[in-house]
Amino acid sequence: MVAIPALAVEDLSVEFRTRSGVVKVLDHVGFTVEKGETVALVGESGSGKSVTAFAVMGILDAAGKVTSGRAMFGGSDLLAQSERDLAELRGRELSMIFQNPRTALNPIRRVGQQIADVLVRHGGATRPDAPREAIKMLKKVRIPDPERRAEAYPFELSGGMCQRIMIAIALACRPALLIADEPTTGLDVTTQAVIMDLIGELGRDSGMATIFITHDLGLAAEYCDRIVVMHAGHIVESAPSRALFANARHPYSAKLLAATPGETASLASLVSIPGGLPDLRRADLPACRYSGRCERLTDACAQPLPHKTVGERHDVACWNPL
Amino acid sequence: MLKLLLSRLATAIPSIAGVIVVTFMLTRLLPGDPAAYFAGLAASPQAIAEVRTKLGLDKSLPEQFVGYIVDLAHGNLGNSLSTGQPVVAEIVNRLPASAELTLVALFLAVGIAIPLGVLAAVKQGTWIDHLCRIVTTAGVSLPVFFTGLLMAYVFYYLLQIAPAPTGRLDAFLSAPTDITGFYLIDSILTGNLETFRGALSQLALPAISMAIFSLAPLARMTRGSMLSVLNSDFVRTARASGLAPRTVVFTYAFRNAVLPVITTLGMVFSFLLGANVLVETVFAWPGIGLYAVNALLTSDYAPVQGFVLAMAVLYIALNLLIDLLYGLVDPRVRLDS
């Protein structure tokens, strides 16, 4: 029997209408996240990682339009839901943590109050109980002296502390899915590890599925079960973390790995990927958006992208994989 | 909060000292010789000199300044040369008229501008946004004396639905018992509805002309500030947490967006103090603005001095209030003090 995934994104396309033309930001993107699983979305800036998350959450900018696809979550399609129903789910069933925790919190509201707002909104606590429940959440994300910190404003706390508050807000109602959008960017390395451990641990305790958006392959390998590699709005490869590191099949994934500092690779042996992302406003985008940068380009690459299964839960979208 | 209050009060003291010096110098440097003016056109040089001695204008500037300070310390702003009345009494008598006009205009402006700005930002690109743009453009480009004259012309002269622009109350109505000095409040307190209606109809045109003028910067600032806050990270967090749209817009966005609006409010209030002079002249409103204009025209320096001093103190007090309001809304300001 196959378990129903926590989230199944199928055939998702998103366009942004801008003054200089329509940008095809996501093109038929699909991936699944099992219950209790942690999946990394990796890729360089502009590859569509955050847009995927925003589309699933239903918080795209007004300029962004979902043009095709489904996002099945708990038996219903998130993309087909009304804003009203989605708002009910957000914060309760699916939550999100953002980068830059200092700006992601309301600067003039006490942090305990901000946690309480979410609890009260989703029935996690009544107004009078909310402050106490908020303090419990602070304790859970291991903030020392939670009673006093609940009264603090974000500007009185460090970046790492603010990110813990963000986690407390996101996990207050025990969501089934957490999307963490570069949660450790801007934090120092030791704080990074603490935050990642905290997310992993709290997720495991409640059987929560986690999508972890990052451009740090090393961090993804360390904390995630599977890795989904994105490039210019396409998913080029998805594989269990170990399989990807041992045996990357897409030329882009291989290049990404070669550009990632590991235990053995010295800084000098790191290779940068030539070229840049194609202009996604072009009307004549090639079928494979990596073809302009690819060393393994063949005539076959002009055909629509294939979806080859090359191993256990290991898919690659390439005509000429490694 | 008390510390904030004290530190702001301390910074107000040098400002007041500066204002005292400037008002003294300014009136002494104004063109026109008050002694010659009051001695009359046909006065002989001896007569003018006599008047000058009587007014103390023959003394040296430092001596005059010391005298001025001593008087000021006793709460004495001198007497008006044309009416002979003490300036303090005149200002205290006339201040409620100006204050009532200014405050009604300000409430009107805030009551329209803030909802308009918020709605324009929340529903960006819709008709209400365009309305906001039209109103702000019109408000900035119409000077207040022009709006005042235009309104008096249209509503009094053409349509005849407004009373004649001749002060606070029609000649046939008697002023309400003086409690607060505000006719609207006093007439309500004494249950005199007829006077209330009369006062309101006299107040409407000047208050609306001043409101139109002050509405523009407030609405524009509210809209701009709301737009930038609505695009900020923490509003995205609030939406991603599923908070109700009302909570997102008011509790999260508006409370943050209101900070620059408060600053603008202080500025607008000071514009209004200046606009008072013009509007009171157009509508023959017996406030301190009209008093100052008349004094200025007759080189009657004591009232001018008193007026400028009163305005400056009012302005400083207002800025103090704005600072405190800021501290109330924004915890970061409290920390800085």
Side-chain angles (χ1 to χ4, degrees):
Chain A
M1 193 190 121
V2 184
I4 304 167
L7 175 76
V9 175
E10 298 160 16
D11 199 31
L12 174 64
S13 301
V14 171
E15 291 178 355
F16 274 77
R17 280 161 209 167
T18 65
R19 243 168 238 184
S20 51
V22 175
V23 189
K24 292 174 275 287
V25 179
L26 288 184
D27 185 39
H28 303 289
V29 161
F31 64 96
T32 59
V33 186
E34 308 296 334
K35 283 173 183 145
E37 191 181 33
T38 302
V39 173
L41 277 185
V42 298
E44 62 199 280
S45 302
S47 56
K49 310 179 297 274
S50 295
V51 172
T52 307
F54 289 172
V56 168
M57 293 289 292
I59 54 171
L60 279 175
D61 283 357
K65 290 276 173 305
V66 174
T67 51
S68 78
R70 300 196 300 169
M72 299 307 291
F73 176 79
S76 64
D77 180 7
L78 291 175
L79 303 180
Q81 301 231 15
S82 68
E83 170 58 30
R84 207 189 164 82
D85 294 340
L86 255 186
E88 288 288 331
L89 288 177
R90 283 201 294 260
R92 195 182 72 203
E93 295 293 330
L94 62 162
S95 288
M96 192 154 173
I97 303 173
F98 301 93
Q99 52 180 321
N100 301 330
R102 285 170 154 281
T103 57
L105 291 169
N106 188 344
I108 60 169
R109 203 161 172 78
R110 297 178 196 281
V111 293
Q113 185 67 50
Q114 297 189 45
I115 302 173
D117 285 340
V118 179
L119 283 165
V120 170
R121 157 71 172 146
H122 296 298
T126 56
R127 248 308 148 204
D129 285 345
R132 212 165 338 114
E133 290 298 316
I135 290 170
K136 261 191 217 162
M137 274 319 294
L138 291 177
K139 218 172 280 173
K140 216 166 168 182
V141 294
R142 292 206 204 95
I143 287 183
D145 200 359
E147 286 84 3
R148 205 164 58 86
R149 290 285 157 69
E151 300 294 313
Y153 292 96
F155 72 92
E156 297 169 317
L157 302 174
S158 68
M161 220 40 111
C162 284
Q163 194 57 288
R164 287 171 200 240
I165 307 281
M166 276 300 300
I167 296 172
I169 290 176
L171 301 187
C173 298
R174 304 182 143 267
L177 174 70
L178 172 72
I179 302 177
D181 187 359
E182 310 205 19
T184 58
T185 310
L187 302 181
D188 62 62
V189 182
T190 44
T191 318
Q192 257 184 32
V194 175
I195 294 289
M196 287 307 297
D197 286 339
L198 188 65
I199 295 174
E201 188 181 318
L202 294 174
R204 260 194 311 283
D205 289 351
S206 59
M208 177 179 74
T210 308
I211 297 176
F212 173 51
I213 297 174
T214 182
H215 46 242
D216 185 341
L217 260 179
L219 212 58
E222 199 175 336
Y223 290 97
C224 300
D225 305 310
R226 279 194 306 128
I227 295 178
V228 173
V229 183
M230 292 191 73
H231 176 266
H234 280 153
I235 286 181
V236 294
E237 186 165 8
S238 70
S241 304
R242 206 161 303 157
L244 188 82
F245 265 75
N247 189 16
R249 300 297 298 273
H250 195 281
Y252 179 65
S253 316
K255 287 280 186 194
L256 263 189
L257 285 172
T260 303
E263 280 165 29
T264 50
S266 70
L267 219 51
S269 68
L270 296 180
V271 193
S272 70
I273 306 178
L277 295 176
D279 181 356
L280 297 182
R281 284 170 303 193
R282 267 164 56 186
D284 57 338
L285 273 173
C288 174
R289 293 180 177 181
Y290 184 63
S291 55
R293 306 165 83 177
C294 189
E295 291 160 356
R296 302 172 58 82
L297 188 67
T298 64
D299 290 342
C301 296
Q303 304 169 59
L305 277 185
H307 287 280
K308 295 183 184 166
T309 301
V310 291
E312 167 105 40
R313 305 199 69 194
H314 190 163
D315 296 308
V316 61
C318 181
W319 285 108
N320 192 15
L322 291 160
Chain B
M1 209 56 198
L2 189 69
K3 225 172 121 194
L4 179 75
L5 178 70
L6 290 178
S7 74
R8 291 296 193 271
L9 270 176
T11 57
I13 292 170
S15 318
I16 292 188
V19 165
I20 291 173
V21 175
V22 169
T23 49
F24 175 79
M25 293 310 293
L26 203 65
T27 45
R28 295 309 188 274
L29 295 175
L30 281 179
D33 182 356
Y37 185 88
F38 281 94
L41 279 178
S44 62
Q46 286 95 331
I48 293 178
E50 249 171 64
V51 173
R52 185 168 288 132
T53 316
K54 211 177 98 202
L55 295 175
L57 291 176
D58 55 341
K59 293 182 190 143
S60 68
L61 273 186
E63 271 179 295
Q64 289 188 37
F65 185 65
V66 170
Y68 174 60
I69 296 284
V70 170
D71 281 351
L72 210 55
H74 290 94
N76 180 8
L77 289 175
N79 291 345
S80 162
L81 294 176
S82 43
T83 64
Q85 294 292 315
V87 171
V88 174
E90 290 259 22
I91 287 182
V92 168
N93 273 340
R94 285 166 167 266
L95 197 61
S98 295
E100 185 171 39
L101 176 60
T102 310
L103 288 178
V104 168
L106 199 67
F107 278 126
L108 209 59
V110 169
I112 297 171
I114 288 185
L116 186 66
V118 169
L119 274 175
V122 172
K123 303 195 180 298
Q124 199 192 353
T126 61
W127 66 270
I128 191 126
D129 192 12
H130 299 309
L131 178 73
C132 179
R133 196 165 308 139
I134 292 168
V135 167
T136 51
T137 313
V140 191
S141 39
L142 296 174
V144 64
F145 61 87
F146 177 75
T147 339
L149 282 174
L150 187 73
M151 297 233 298
Y153 179 70
V154 171
F155 293 103
Y156 165 63
Y157 182 75
L158 289 183
L159 301 177
Q160 306 200 332
I161 50 175
T166 53
R168 295 180 84 183
L169 212 51
D170 195 275
F172 300 110
L173 290 167
S174 54
T177 329
D178 192 7
I179 302 168
T180 58
F182 289 18
Y183 281 8
L184 291 183
I185 297 177
D186 289 352
S187 60
I188 289 269
L189 287 179
T190 53
N192 192 343
L193 280 185
E194 202 188 348
T195 303
F196 177 79
R197 216 172 302 127
L200 188 63
S201 62
Q202 291 284 351
L203 185 67
L205 290 191
I208 290 173
S209 2
M210 279 178 42
I212 289 177
F213 160 79
S214 49
L215 205 141
L218 284 173
R220 192 207 292 265
M221 183 50 86
T222 309
R223 177 180 177 273
S225 165
M226 262 315 262
L227 270 184
S228 76
V229 171
L230 282 174
N231 281 322
S232 68
D233 284 0
F234 69 86
V235 166
R236 189 183 58 190
T237 307
R239 288 182 60 212
S241 315
L243 296 185
R246 213 159 30 94
T247 319
V248 174
V249 171
F250 293 106
T251 316
Y252 278 69
F254 183 67
R255 278 206 47 202
N256 276 281
V258 86
L259 294 168
V261 178
I262 293 177
T263 313
T264 314
L265 197 65
M267 251 160 57
V268 163
F269 197 85
S270 61
F271 292 165
L272 281 181
L273 292 181
N276 249 326
V277 176
L278 298 170
V279 173
E280 286 178 10
T281 310
V282 170
F283 290 92
W285 198 260
I288 50 175
L290 192 59
Y291 179 58
V293 170
N294 289 338
L296 200 60
L297 291 177
T298 54
S299 290
D300 192 355
Y301 65 86
V304 175
Q305 226 164 37
F307 171 77
V308 173
L309 198 61
M311 287 298 107
V313 170
L314 203 62
Y315 187 66
I316 290 168
L318 183 80
N319 275 300
L320 194 68
L321 189 74
I322 298 281
D323 273 352
L324 294 181
L325 257 180
Y326 233 93
L328 219 58
V329 178
D330 193 341
R332 287 164 293 189
V333 175
R334 261 173 268 163
L335 190 83
D336 286 346
S337 63

